[in-house]
Every structure is written in structure tokens, then in C-alpha cells.
Amino acid sequence: MRILVSAAVLAVGIVIGAAVPAASGLVRDGLAALGLAGPAPGPAPEKAGHDHDHDHAEQAEAGVIRMSPEQVAAQDITVAPVTGGILARHLLVPGTITPDTDRIARVPARVVGTVVEMRKRLGDSVRKDEVVAVLDSREVADAKSEYLTALVQVELQTINFERQQKLLASRSASESAFQSARAAYLETRLRTDLARQKLSALGLDAAEVTAAQRRDEATPTLSTLRRYELRAPLAGRVVERRVDVGSAVGKEGDPADLYLLADLTTVWIELSVPTLDLAQVQEGARVTVTPIREGGESRAEGRVIFVSPFLNPETRSARVVVALPNADLAWRPGTFVTAELEIARDDVPVRVPKAALQTVAGARVVFVRTPDGFAMRPVELGRSDDEAYAVKAGLAPGEAIAVGNTFLLKAELGKAEAGHDD
């Protein structure tokens, strides 16, 4: 009979519990009193939740983020010691790449003649003193002939003078004959010197002219008398070729130059700096250059080599020239660039990169490495440059801080605070 009553009570309780959840506790207590149900579940799960929230709260309040070394490595959080360093302030100025005027040279036609060889093409590299073209020149032939004739004359007059000198010593010749031979000898020497200077003015070497004449004597079918070689005045590249084979050069109205050569391993950057900023720009200052174009990520460093003492009356600015190394020829004349002129360098005892800083509750903070993970620490910042801040208070040299992916640490800290609020 008792079993039937209990089963009826249980059935009624299930129905009531489904309809009115609040009543399920009363039914459960009644069943427990009859020995047909266990005690109501205890508050253990709720307590465990409170403990978890308590841990989050402690972590959030202390600004501590517990992370194992494996977790730090997995999230690619970079850690580095705090050091001092240099803060550099810069001035941004637009500029244009130009050739270094000290490294541009022309190959002039120094004599009247006709081009018979052009040995270099546009874009070719040349070495200093390399032969780049050959002319056929009557003017050169006349100069060489004059010098070679003078050499023969001075040789003959030298022999005659020495002979008259010996005769005079033996009293076999008169004083007048000796003086006449001496005068002729000195005159031919003077003519030879003048002819040598004429060759030099044409860019010819007297010794080479003499050697070429001896070779011509050995090969009568060949003659270099009219041949005039043009040599490169500097090492570089051919950037302009202005004549062709067969062109007449040297006369009025003829092309004055055969080639334009440029050494672009160093280029200049022409800047125009406003008067208000000019006092901050010093010769020798470092300059970082970036191209003004889409995707222009290449950077290079040069130096200020000239600050003009004169102002442009129209723009009220001064010309500033920067020398930029260009070994790979990546910087082309005519390119527009942005130049970051270094105008100040300050040595600071504590310097942190901007990537190490985060803002939490309106305060600038860093995350200091601890044995258990990281601890948030507010810092007082001072001067800054493009990459870092000086720290006035809150950090000491040698402490290890997170300097990369610090936003992940801030996010972890935010999760802890959100758990505490719940």
C-alpha cells in the first residue's frame, strides 16, 4: 500500500515539477523524506564558479597575466631588456634625385676630324682612360708631323753642335762657326719643346707618338698619323651617345661632344628647406630617404653635404644637397623622394620602443616579464622620436619587457577584467 502511495506522489511531483520548476525543490524534499530520492544537489558547482571568478579578479586587480614559456613562444611575444639609447628627431622634406655633378663628364671632340670608330653603345660601362672613340684628323696629323720633324732636326743639330764644340777645342774651327751651330741647336730644341706642348694640348703623349711612328715604320701599310683616340675621363656608364660613325666633329656647328658619361654609384638629393626650419639643418646630418610611389618601401641613408647660404627670394627657402650611396643603381635621377633630415639626437638612459607600449584605463603601460608570465606596469614617458619613447619613471635598465605583440597581453588582461565584471 505504501509503495502505491509513493508512486502516486512521485507521479504528481513530476508533473508539478515540469509545470512549476520552483516547486521541484519541495517535491524533491518530500521524496527525500519518504526515502525515495537523494538530497538536493549542493552548491558545489556554484562555488567552483565563484573561485574561478575570484582568480580572474585577483589577476585583473594585480595586472598579472600568467603564461608559461610555451604559451609566450606560441603567441610570438618578443621580450627584450630595457636599455638606454638615442632619440632622433626628424624634419620631413620632399626632394628629387639628381646626378652628382662631380661625377658627370663629357667626351669632347678636341680636334677637327671625322668619327671612324664608336666603341661604346648607350648604357655601356666604361673605365677611366678607356678608349671610347677614334677620330681621323688632319689637325692631329699636322701636330704629330711637326713634333716628329722637330725630333729629327734636334738630333741632327745636336750632332753638329757637339762636332763644332770638339773642333773649337782643338782650334780647328772658328768661334763664329761654333756659335752658329750652337744657335741652331738651341732653336731646334725650342721647336721640339713647342711641338711637344702642342701635342699635350691635344691630349696626346709625345712618347706614345714616337712609339707609334716606330711601329708604322715596321709596317708601312699601316699609319696612325691621323688617328686620334678619345678616352673616358671617368669610370661610369654611357648615358648619351651624340654622334655616329662618319660624323664630322670639331668645327663650328658640329657636335661638340661624342658621349655623356655618368657615375651614378653616388647620387644627390635636391631639397628645398623653408627658412623657419633651416637653422635646424646641419651639414653632415643623417638623412633617411624613401621614394614617393605606391608600394615604395625601400629606404636608404645619406648625409647632408651642402646647405646653401642663400635663400630663394620667391620661395623663401634654401637649397640643401644630400649625398646618397647608390651602388646597386636603384635610385634613378628624376625620382621624387621624401627625406627625413635628422635635426636632433638625444641620449636617454631608458628608452622603450613604441611597440612595447599599450594604453590601459587611460594610462600608458608596459608588460614586465616575470617568472609566472607578465605584470602590467604604468610608466611616465618623456621625449619621443619615430620609433621610441624616453621613460622618466617606472622602468629601470636591465628589466625585461614585452616589445612585440603586446596587444595580445592587453587582450588577455581585458579577458580577466571581463570575467571579474561577470
Side-chain angles (χ1 to χ4, degrees):
M1 186 65 179
R2 182 181 177 189
I3 294 174
L4 293 175
V5 173
S6 299
V9 172
L10 177 58
V12 173
I14 291 172
V15 173
I16 296 174
V20 186
S24 62
L26 296 175
V27 173
R28 190 182 296 110
D29 291 342
L31 294 174
L34 295 173
L36 298 176
E46 185 179 353
K47 182 177 183 298
H50 282 307
D51 289 343
H52 183 66
D53 292 344
H54 181 68
D55 290 341
H56 274 295
E58 284 186 349
Q59 181 168 308
E61 290 173 1
V64 174
I65 303 167
R66 290 184 172 82
M67 297 182 73
S68 66
E70 292 76 15
Q71 290 175 313
V72 174
Q75 298 194 46
D76 198 21
I77 298 173
T78 309
V79 177
V82 175
T83 62
I86 300 296
L87 291 180
R89 296 196 297 275
H90 297 89
L91 178 68
L92 294 180
V93 183
T96 306
I97 301 289
T98 65
D100 181 344
T101 56
D102 294 333
R103 296 170 182 261
I104 293 179
R106 304 176 187 277
V107 180
R110 303 174 69 175
V111 298
V112 176
T114 303
V115 179
V116 294
E117 290 184 44
M118 292 290 284
R119 295 189 177 180
K120 294 295 178 180
R121 304 168 77 178
L122 193 65
D124 285 353
S125 297
V126 298
R127 301 183 306 274
K128 181 176 172 57
D129 293 327
E130 181 181 1
V131 176
V132 294
V134 179
L135 304 182
D136 179 85
S137 173
R138 176 67 180 273
E139 181 184 356
V140 170
D142 291 344
K144 289 180 178 179
S145 298
E146 184 179 341
Y147 174 70
L148 294 171
T149 301
L151 282 182
V152 173
Q153 290 295 326
V154 78
E155 184 177 353
L156 294 174
Q157 292 300 330
T158 299
I159 293 171
N160 184 47
F161 172 64
E162 290 176 349
R163 177 173 170 274
Q164 291 296 328
Q165 197 172 27
K166 289 178 182 178
L167 290 174
L168 182 63
S170 63
R171 298 182 182 278
S172 300
S174 64
E175 179 70 23
S176 61
F178 169 75
Q179 292 297 338
S180 177
R182 180 173 180 274
Y185 166 71
L186 293 176
E187 182 180 353
T188 53
R189 284 197 58 179
L190 178 60
R191 288 181 182 277
T192 303
D193 289 340
L194 291 174
R196 183 183 294 109
Q197 291 177 25
K198 188 174 182 179
L199 289 177
S200 180
L202 294 175
L204 297 170
D205 182 82
E208 290 182 0
V209 171
T210 304
Q213 176 62 20
R214 288 172 183 161
R215 290 193 297 270
D216 289 350
E217 290 173 355
T219 54
T221 57
L222 297 176
S223 176
T224 60
L225 196 64
R226 298 171 63 95
R227 182 184 179 88
Y228 183 68
E229 296 179 338
L230 295 175
R231 298 179 181 272
L234 54 73
R237 296 183 69 197
V238 176
V239 294
E240 287 186 28
R241 174 173 154 158
R242 296 178 172 175
V243 298
D244 298 315
V245 173
S247 299
V249 294
K251 294 180 182 178
E252 186 176 353
D254 291 343
D257 306 318
L258 279 74
Y259 295 102
L260 179 65
L261 308 179
D263 177 6
L264 299 177
T265 55
T266 298
V267 292
W268 283 359
I269 307 171
E270 294 278 351
L271 306 176
S272 183
V273 179
T275 308
L276 294 176
D277 300 319
L278 195 59
Q280 303 178 85
V281 180
Q282 303 294 325
E283 291 183 2
R286 291 183 178 89
V287 180
T288 302
V289 184
T290 54
I292 303 177
R293 63 170 184 260
E294 264 188 58
E297 297 179 357
S298 58
R299 293 167 67 88
E301 185 173 292
R303 295 269 182 175
V304 174
I305 61 170
F306 176 70
V307 178
S308 176
F310 302 107
L311 293 178
N312 184 319
E314 297 179 359
T315 62
R316 305 304 299 168
S317 60
R319 179 186 180 218
V320 174
V321 179
V322 176
L324 183 68
N326 189 33
D328 58 357
L329 305 181
W331 299 95
R332 297 178 180 274
T335 302
F336 295 111
V337 298
T338 298
E340 300 177 28
L341 281 76
E342 187 177 88
I343 58 176
R345 287 175 66 83
D346 301 321
D347 194 359
V348 295
V350 180
R351 175 183 179 275
V352 295
K354 291 184 175 180
L357 295 162
Q358 293 292 336
T359 301
V360 176
R364 301 307 297 274
V365 303
V366 296
F367 295 94
V368 180
R369 189 74 165 97
T370 65
D372 297 329
F374 293 91
M376 181 187 73
R377 186 183 298 175
V379 290
E380 182 182 351
L381 302 178
R383 299 184 300 273
S384 69
D385 62 9
D386 299 332
E387 299 177 352
Y389 275 94
V391 177
K392 293 182 177 180
L395 276 178
E399 291 188 277
I401 63 171
V403 296
N405 284 340
T406 55
F407 65 92
L408 297 176
L409 298 175
K410 180 180 177 180
E412 287 293 329
L413 196 64
K415 290 178 184 177
E417 291 175 349
H420 177 51
D421 292 341
D422 292 343

